[in-house]
PDB file of all heavy atoms in Angstrom:
ATOM      1  N   TYR A   1       2.968   0.086   8.213  1.00 96.00           N
ATOM      2  CA  TYR A   1       2.406  -0.472   6.985  1.00 96.00           C
ATOM      3  C   TYR A   1       2.664   0.429   5.775  1.00 96.00           C
ATOM      4  O   TYR A   1       2.612  -0.043   4.634  1.00 96.00           O
ATOM      5  CB  TYR A   1       0.921  -0.750   7.163  1.00 96.00           C
ATOM      6  CG  TYR A   1       0.647  -1.963   8.027  1.00 96.00           C
ATOM      7  CD1 TYR A   1      -0.490  -2.055   8.811  1.00 96.00           C
ATOM      8  CD2 TYR A   1       1.544  -3.022   8.063  1.00 96.00           C
ATOM      9  CE1 TYR A   1      -0.726  -3.164   9.608  1.00 96.00           C
ATOM     10  CE2 TYR A   1       1.315  -4.132   8.852  1.00 96.00           C
ATOM     11  CZ  TYR A   1       0.174  -4.200   9.629  1.00 96.00           C
ATOM     12  OH  TYR A   1      -0.045  -5.307  10.410  1.00 96.00           O
ATOM     13  N   ALA A   2       2.928   1.711   6.018  1.00 95.00           N
ATOM     14  CA  ALA A   2       3.340   2.576   4.915  1.00 95.00           C
ATOM     15  C   ALA A   2       4.688   2.121   4.356  1.00 95.00           C
ATOM     16  O   ALA A   2       4.927   2.171   3.147  1.00 95.00           O
ATOM     17  CB  ALA A   2       3.421   4.031   5.379  1.00 95.00           C
ATOM     18  N   GLU A   3       5.573   1.656   5.251  1.00 95.00           N
ATOM     19  CA  GLU A   3       6.855   1.101   4.795  1.00 95.00           C
ATOM     20  C   GLU A   3       6.631  -0.198   4.030  1.00 95.00           C
ATOM     21  O   GLU A   3       7.307  -0.471   3.025  1.00 95.00           O
ATOM     22  CB  GLU A   3       7.770   0.850   5.993  1.00 95.00           C
ATOM     23  CG  GLU A   3       9.155   0.363   5.600  1.00 95.00           C
ATOM     24  CD  GLU A   3      10.069   0.157   6.785  1.00 95.00           C
ATOM     25  OE1 GLU A   3       9.967  -0.900   7.441  1.00 95.00           O
ATOM     26  OE2 GLU A   3      10.885   1.049   7.064  1.00 95.00           O
ATOM     27  N   LEU A   4       5.675  -1.007   4.479  1.00 95.00           N
ATOM     28  CA  LEU A   4       5.329  -2.234   3.748  1.00 95.00           C
ATOM     29  C   LEU A   4       4.850  -1.895   2.340  1.00 95.00           C
ATOM     30  O   LEU A   4       5.249  -2.557   1.363  1.00 95.00           O
ATOM     31  CB  LEU A   4       4.237  -2.990   4.511  1.00 95.00           C
ATOM     32  CG  LEU A   4       3.558  -4.145   3.771  1.00 95.00           C
ATOM     33  CD1 LEU A   4       4.509  -5.321   3.645  1.00 95.00           C
ATOM     34  CD2 LEU A   4       2.279  -4.576   4.481  1.00 95.00           C
ATOM     35  N   GLU A   5       4.021  -0.890   2.197  1.00 96.00           N
ATOM     36  CA  GLU A   5       3.538  -0.480   0.880  1.00 96.00           C
ATOM     37  C   GLU A   5       4.700  -0.080  -0.021  1.00 96.00           C
ATOM     38  O   GLU A   5       4.750  -0.458  -1.198  1.00 96.00           O
ATOM     39  CB  GLU A   5       2.561   0.693   1.024  1.00 96.00           C
ATOM     40  CG  GLU A   5       1.257   0.334   1.709  1.00 96.00           C
ATOM     41  CD  GLU A   5       0.390   1.559   1.936  1.00 96.00           C
ATOM     42  OE1 GLU A   5       0.791   2.670   1.519  1.00 96.00           O
ATOM     43  OE2 GLU A   5      -0.701   1.412   2.535  1.00 96.00           O
ATOM     44  N   ARG A   6       5.634   0.678   0.537  1.00 95.00           N
ATOM     45  CA  ARG A   6       6.774   1.155  -0.259  1.00 95.00           C
ATOM     46  C   ARG A   6       7.693   0.015  -0.676  1.00 95.00           C
ATOM     47  O   ARG A   6       8.140  -0.047  -1.826  1.00 95.00           O
ATOM     48  CB  ARG A   6       7.553   2.180   0.553  1.00 95.00           C
ATOM     49  CG  ARG A   6       8.732   2.817  -0.188  1.00 95.00           C
ATOM     50  CD  ARG A   6       9.627   3.540   0.779  1.00 95.00           C
ATOM     51  NE  ARG A   6      10.272   2.598   1.708  1.00 95.00           N
ATOM     52  CZ  ARG A   6      10.878   2.971   2.829  1.00 95.00           C
ATOM     53  NH1 ARG A   6      10.892   4.223   3.190  1.00 95.00           N
ATOM     54  NH2 ARG A   6      11.449   2.056   3.607  1.00 95.00           N
ATOM     55  N   ASP A   7       7.956  -0.934   0.236  1.00 95.00           N
ATOM     56  CA  ASP A   7       8.947  -1.970  -0.026  1.00 95.00           C
ATOM     57  C   ASP A   7       8.379  -3.203  -0.727  1.00 95.00           C
ATOM     58  O   ASP A   7       9.082  -3.851  -1.498  1.00 95.00           O
ATOM     59  CB  ASP A   7       9.608  -2.406   1.287  1.00 95.00           C
ATOM     60  CG  ASP A   7      10.434  -1.298   1.924  1.00 95.00           C
ATOM     61  OD1 ASP A   7      10.728  -0.310   1.220  1.00 95.00           O
ATOM     62  OD2 ASP A   7      10.764  -1.418   3.116  1.00 95.00           O
ATOM     63  N   VAL A   8       7.120  -3.540  -0.454  1.00 96.00           N
ATOM     64  CA  VAL A   8       6.547  -4.787  -0.972  1.00 96.00           C
ATOM     65  C   VAL A   8       5.496  -4.535  -2.054  1.00 96.00           C
ATOM     66  O   VAL A   8       5.373  -5.339  -2.991  1.00 96.00           O
ATOM     67  CB  VAL A   8       5.921  -5.606   0.186  1.00 96.00           C
ATOM     68  CG1 VAL A   8       5.277  -6.886  -0.332  1.00 96.00           C
ATOM     69  CG2 VAL A   8       6.972  -5.920   1.243  1.00 96.00           C
ATOM     70  N   LEU A   9       4.762  -3.443  -1.947  1.00 96.00           N
ATOM     71  CA  LEU A   9       3.633  -3.192  -2.855  1.00 96.00           C
ATOM     72  C   LEU A   9       3.888  -2.013  -3.786  1.00 96.00           C
ATOM     73  O   LEU A   9       2.945  -1.353  -4.228  1.00 96.00           O
ATOM     74  CB  LEU A   9       2.352  -2.936  -2.037  1.00 96.00           C
ATOM     75  CG  LEU A   9       1.941  -4.047  -1.068  1.00 96.00           C
ATOM     76  CD1 LEU A   9       0.741  -3.612  -0.247  1.00 96.00           C
ATOM     77  CD2 LEU A   9       1.623  -5.338  -1.839  1.00 96.00           C
ATOM     78  N   SER A  10       5.130  -1.752  -4.113  1.00 95.00           N
ATOM     79  CA  SER A  10       5.450  -0.596  -4.960  1.00 95.00           C
ATOM     80  C   SER A  10       4.803  -0.702  -6.335  1.00 95.00           C
ATOM     81  O   SER A  10       4.498   0.323  -6.966  1.00 95.00           O
ATOM     82  CB  SER A  10       6.962  -0.449  -5.107  1.00 95.00           C
ATOM     83  OG  SER A  10       7.536  -1.637  -5.652  1.00 95.00           O
ATOM     84  N   PHE A  11       4.565  -1.921  -6.823  1.00 96.00           N
ATOM     85  CA  PHE A  11       3.919  -2.104  -8.125  1.00 96.00           C
ATOM     86  C   PHE A  11       2.484  -1.593  -8.129  1.00 96.00           C
ATOM     87  O   PHE A  11       1.908  -1.338  -9.196  1.00 96.00           O
ATOM     88  CB  PHE A  11       3.929  -3.591  -8.507  1.00 96.00           C
ATOM     89  CG  PHE A  11       3.115  -4.462  -7.591  1.00 96.00           C
ATOM     90  CD1 PHE A  11       1.771  -4.693  -7.817  1.00 96.00           C
ATOM     91  CD2 PHE A  11       3.696  -5.052  -6.469  1.00 96.00           C
ATOM     92  CE1 PHE A  11       1.020  -5.491  -6.972  1.00 96.00           C
ATOM     93  CE2 PHE A  11       2.960  -5.850  -5.611  1.00 96.00           C
ATOM     94  CZ  PHE A  11       1.609  -6.063  -5.856  1.00 96.00           C
ATOM     95  N   ALA A  12       1.885  -1.448  -6.940  1.00 96.00           N
ATOM     96  CA  ALA A  12       0.489  -1.005  -6.827  1.00 96.00           C
ATOM     97  C   ALA A  12       0.376   0.483  -6.536  1.00 96.00           C
ATOM     98  O   ALA A  12      -0.680   0.963  -6.122  1.00 96.00           O
ATOM     99  CB  ALA A  12      -0.221  -1.800  -5.733  1.00 96.00           C
ATOM    100  N   LEU A  13       1.449   1.226  -6.737  1.00 94.00           N
ATOM    101  CA  LEU A  13       1.442   2.662  -6.450  1.00 94.00           C
ATOM    102  C   LEU A  13       1.542   3.500  -7.714  1.00 94.00           C
ATOM    103  O   LEU A  13       1.830   4.698  -7.650  1.00 94.00           O
ATOM    104  CB  LEU A  13       2.610   3.003  -5.503  1.00 94.00           C
ATOM    105  CG  LEU A  13       2.628   2.264  -4.165  1.00 94.00           C
ATOM    106  CD1 LEU A  13       3.852   2.664  -3.357  1.00 94.00           C
ATOM    107  CD2 LEU A  13       1.355   2.542  -3.371  1.00 94.00           C
ATOM    108  N   GLY A  14       1.309   2.889  -8.892  1.00 93.00           N
ATOM    109  CA  GLY A  14       1.396   3.613 -10.145  1.00 93.00           C
ATOM    110  C   GLY A  14       0.144   4.410 -10.448  1.00 93.00           C
ATOM    111  O   GLY A  14      -0.837   4.413  -9.691  1.00 93.00           O
ATOM    112  N   ASN A  15       0.139   5.077 -11.610  1.00 94.00           N
ATOM    113  CA  ASN A  15      -0.980   5.942 -11.987  1.00 94.00           C
ATOM    114  C   ASN A  15      -2.251   5.166 -12.305  1.00 94.00           C
ATOM    115  O   ASN A  15      -3.348   5.742 -12.284  1.00 94.00           O
ATOM    116  CB  ASN A  15      -0.594   6.797 -13.197  1.00 94.00           C
ATOM    117  CG  ASN A  15       0.483   7.818 -12.871  1.00 94.00           C
ATOM    118  OD1 ASN A  15       0.598   8.262 -11.728  1.00 94.00           O
ATOM    119  ND2 ASN A  15       1.282   8.174 -13.862  1.00 94.00           N
ATOM    120  N   ASP A  16      -2.109   3.875 -12.628  1.00 95.00           N
ATOM    121  CA  ASP A  16      -3.292   3.076 -12.946  1.00 95.00           C
ATOM    122  C   ASP A  16      -3.822   2.329 -11.733  1.00 95.00           C
ATOM    123  O   ASP A  16      -4.688   1.455 -11.863  1.00 95.00           O
ATOM    124  CB  ASP A  16      -2.981   2.086 -14.070  1.00 95.00           C
ATOM    125  CG  ASP A  16      -1.843   1.131 -13.702  1.00 95.00           C
ATOM    126  OD1 ASP A  16      -1.164   1.378 -12.682  1.00 95.00           O
ATOM    127  OD2 ASP A  16      -1.629   0.142 -14.432  1.00 95.00           O
ATOM    128  N   CYS A  17      -3.313   2.653 -10.546  1.00 97.00           N
ATOM    129  CA  CYS A  17      -3.727   1.984  -9.304  1.00 97.00           C
ATOM    130  C   CYS A  17      -4.066   3.008  -8.229  1.00 97.00           C
ATOM    131  O   CYS A  17      -3.487   4.098  -8.175  1.00 97.00           O
ATOM    132  CB  CYS A  17      -2.616   1.079  -8.771  1.00 97.00           C
ATOM    133  SG  CYS A  17      -2.166  -0.305  -9.844  1.00 97.00           S
ATOM    134  N   LEU A  18      -4.991   2.632  -7.363  1.00 97.00           N
ATOM    135  CA  LEU A  18      -5.267   3.384  -6.141  1.00 97.00           C
ATOM    136  C   LEU A  18      -5.247   2.386  -4.992  1.00 97.00           C
ATOM    137  O   LEU A  18      -6.096   1.487  -4.924  1.00 97.00           O
ATOM    138  CB  LEU A  18      -6.624   4.083  -6.210  1.00 97.00           C
ATOM    139  CG  LEU A  18      -7.069   4.769  -4.911  1.00 97.00           C
ATOM    140  CD1 LEU A  18      -6.103   5.892  -4.528  1.00 97.00           C
ATOM    141  CD2 LEU A  18      -8.490   5.308  -5.029  1.00 97.00           C
ATOM    142  N   LEU A  19      -4.283   2.536  -4.088  1.00 97.00           N
ATOM    143  CA  LEU A  19      -4.171   1.659  -2.930  1.00 97.00           C
ATOM    144  C   LEU A  19      -4.695   2.396  -1.713  1.00 97.00           C
ATOM    145  O   LEU A  19      -4.114   3.384  -1.269  1.00 97.00           O
ATOM    146  CB  LEU A  19      -2.720   1.236  -2.708  1.00 97.00           C
ATOM    147  CG  LEU A  19      -2.457   0.263  -1.552  1.00 97.00           C
ATOM    148  CD1 LEU A  19      -3.251  -1.028  -1.739  1.00 97.00           C
ATOM    149  CD2 LEU A  19      -0.964  -0.039  -1.422  1.00 97.00           C
ATOM    150  N   LEU A  20      -5.826   1.931  -1.194  1.00 97.00           N
ATOM    151  CA  LEU A  20      -6.433   2.501   0.007  1.00 97.00           C
ATOM    152  C   LEU A  20      -6.076   1.632   1.204  1.00 97.00           C
ATOM    153  O   LEU A  20      -5.948   0.412   1.083  1.00 97.00           O
ATOM    154  CB  LEU A  20      -7.959   2.572  -0.137  1.00 97.00           C
ATOM    155  CG  LEU A  20      -8.526   3.400  -1.288  1.00 97.00           C
ATOM    156  CD1 LEU A  20     -10.031   3.182  -1.397  1.00 97.00           C
ATOM    157  CD2 LEU A  20      -8.225   4.879  -1.097  1.00 97.00           C
ATOM    158  N   ARG A  21      -5.936   2.281   2.353  1.00 96.00           N
ATOM    159  CA  ARG A  21      -5.682   1.509   3.570  1.00 96.00           C
ATOM    160  C   ARG A  21      -6.233   2.269   4.763  1.00 96.00           C
ATOM    161  O   ARG A  21      -5.942   3.447   4.960  1.00 96.00           O
ATOM    162  CB  ARG A  21      -4.189   1.252   3.781  1.00 96.00           C
ATOM    163  CG  ARG A  21      -3.890   0.488   5.068  1.00 96.00           C
ATOM    164  CD  ARG A  21      -2.426   0.094   5.149  1.00 96.00           C
ATOM    165  NE  ARG A  21      -1.542   1.240   4.994  1.00 96.00           N
ATOM    166  CZ  ARG A  21      -1.218   2.076   5.984  1.00 96.00           C
ATOM    167  NH1 ARG A  21      -1.730   1.898   7.184  1.00 96.00           N
ATOM    168  NH2 ARG A  21      -0.399   3.083   5.764  1.00 96.00           N
ATOM    169  N   LEU A  22      -7.048   1.581   5.546  1.00 94.00           N
ATOM    170  CA  LEU A  22      -7.525   2.108   6.824  1.00 94.00           C
ATOM    171  C   LEU A  22      -6.940   1.204   7.904  1.00 94.00           C
ATOM    172  O   LEU A  22      -7.437   0.103   8.138  1.00 94.00           O
ATOM    173  CB  LEU A  22      -9.045   2.136   6.887  1.00 94.00           C
ATOM    174  CG  LEU A  22      -9.660   2.707   8.163  1.00 94.00           C
ATOM    175  CD1 LEU A  22      -9.212   4.152   8.371  1.00 94.00           C
ATOM    176  CD2 LEU A  22     -11.177   2.614   8.135  1.00 94.00           C
ATOM    177  N   LEU A  23      -5.823   1.651   8.478  1.00 91.00           N
ATOM    178  CA  LEU A  23      -5.066   0.866   9.444  1.00 91.00           C
ATOM    179  C   LEU A  23      -4.579  -0.436   8.796  1.00 91.00           C
ATOM    180  O   LEU A  23      -3.627  -0.413   8.030  1.00 91.00           O
ATOM    181  CB  LEU A  23      -5.892   0.602  10.713  1.00 91.00           C
ATOM    182  CG  LEU A  23      -5.107   0.274  11.985  1.00 91.00           C
ATOM    183  CD1 LEU A  23      -4.121   1.395  12.300  1.00 91.00           C
ATOM    184  CD2 LEU A  23      -6.026   0.023  13.141  1.00 91.00           C
ATOM    185  N   ASP A  24      -5.253  -1.563   9.048  1.00 92.00           N
ATOM    186  CA  ASP A  24      -4.793  -2.840   8.478  1.00 92.00           C
ATOM    187  C   ASP A  24      -5.711  -3.360   7.384  1.00 92.00           C
ATOM    188  O   ASP A  24      -5.562  -4.491   6.925  1.00 92.00           O
ATOM    189  CB  ASP A  24      -4.659  -3.893   9.578  1.00 92.00           C
ATOM    190  CG  ASP A  24      -5.991  -4.173  10.272  1.00 92.00           C
ATOM    191  OD1 ASP A  24      -6.880  -3.306  10.210  1.00 92.00           O
ATOM    192  OD2 ASP A  24      -6.134  -5.238  10.882  1.00 92.00           O
ATOM    193  N   ASP A  25      -6.682  -2.556   6.957  1.00 96.00           N
ATOM    194  CA  ASP A  25      -7.602  -2.943   5.887  1.00 96.00           C
ATOM    195  C   ASP A  25      -7.125  -2.348   4.566  1.00 96.00           C
ATOM    196  O   ASP A  25      -7.183  -1.131   4.372  1.00 96.00           O
ATOM    197  CB  ASP A  25      -9.031  -2.479   6.192  1.00 96.00           C
ATOM    198  CG  ASP A  25      -9.644  -3.243   7.346  1.00 96.00           C
ATOM    199  OD1 ASP A  25      -9.548  -4.479   7.342  1.00 96.00           O
ATOM    200  OD2 ASP A  25     -10.219  -2.612   8.245  1.00 96.00           O
ATOM    201  N   PHE A  26      -6.656  -3.213   3.659  1.00 97.00           N
ATOM    202  CA  PHE A  26      -6.127  -2.773   2.370  1.00 97.00           C
ATOM    203  C   PHE A  26      -7.175  -2.956   1.284  1.00 97.00           C
ATOM    204  O   PHE A  26      -7.927  -3.941   1.280  1.00 97.00           O
ATOM    205  CB  PHE A  26      -4.897  -3.605   1.982  1.00 97.00           C
ATOM    206  CG  PHE A  26      -3.674  -3.361   2.829  1.00 97.00           C
ATOM    207  CD1 PHE A  26      -3.554  -3.922   4.095  1.00 97.00           C
ATOM    208  CD2 PHE A  26      -2.627  -2.580   2.353  1.00 97.00           C
ATOM    209  CE1 PHE A  26      -2.419  -3.723   4.870  1.00 97.00           C
ATOM    210  CE2 PHE A  26      -1.484  -2.375   3.121  1.00 97.00           C
ATOM    211  CZ  PHE A  26      -1.390  -2.940   4.378  1.00 97.00           C
TER     212      PHE A  26
END
């Protein structure tokens, strides 16, 4: 799912976002 974050959710990894994940809970 870390690869999913990098490839699909890259827009949510900026300085104005915090993406938390506990296993499959985003």
Side-chain angles (χ1 to χ4, degrees):
Y1 286 149
E3 184 178 81
L4 168 72
E5 293 175 2
R6 183 194 66 195
D7 294 345
V8 178
L9 303 175
S10 57
F11 65 89
L13 302 178
N15 292 332
D16 59 348
C17 296
L18 173 63
L19 182 59
L20 300 171
R21 178 173 54 83
L22 182 60
L23 202 57
D24 61 338
D25 291 312
F26 291 78

